[in-house]
Amino acid sequence: MTADDTFGHLDDDDYPAYTMGRAAEMLGTTQGFLRAIGEARLITPLRSAGGHRRYSRYQLRIAARARELVDHGTPIEAACRIIILEDQLEEAQRLNAQYRRATESADPTAAA
């Protein structure tokens, strides 16, 4: 990977820029914590050519949320499930709003 390849991804939240060690350091947690949330299928890190886990900024935000819940006493498996359900709810609400807007624009009297 060249410097130009890396700089082209600076604004990409999904680019796997962080090694496991760096990700754990940034989150103030252990590498074992990152492995555990991976095993719980909360996040799936990409793998480098050498097989090392690489994390994106988006994945680090999710991991930080899991750490917050665990720090407040929630078991790691439950924290992962909570975050997954929160994401599913957010997506359902987004789709619901999208369908509602589509329905209202197709039938302006439906809004009343």
Side-chain angles (χ1 to χ4, degrees), residues 64-75 79:
R65 173 71 175 126
R67 177 165 186 239
E68 179 183 322
L69 289 170
V70 169
D71 285 350
H72 285 92
T74 306

Side-chain angles (χ1 to χ4, degrees), residues 46-82:
L46 284 115
R47 298 284 182 150
S48 68
H52 300 283
R53 291 174 178 89
R54 306 282 296 189
Y55 297 88
S56 68
R57 286 189 304 219
Y58 174 73
Q59 290 172 323
L60 294 183
R61 283 195 299 273
I62 293 171
R65 173 71 175 126
R67 177 165 186 239
E68 179 183 322
L69 289 170
V70 169
D71 285 350
H72 285 92
T74 306
I76 197 163
E77 297 82 12
C80 292
R81 186 67 181 140
I82 288 167

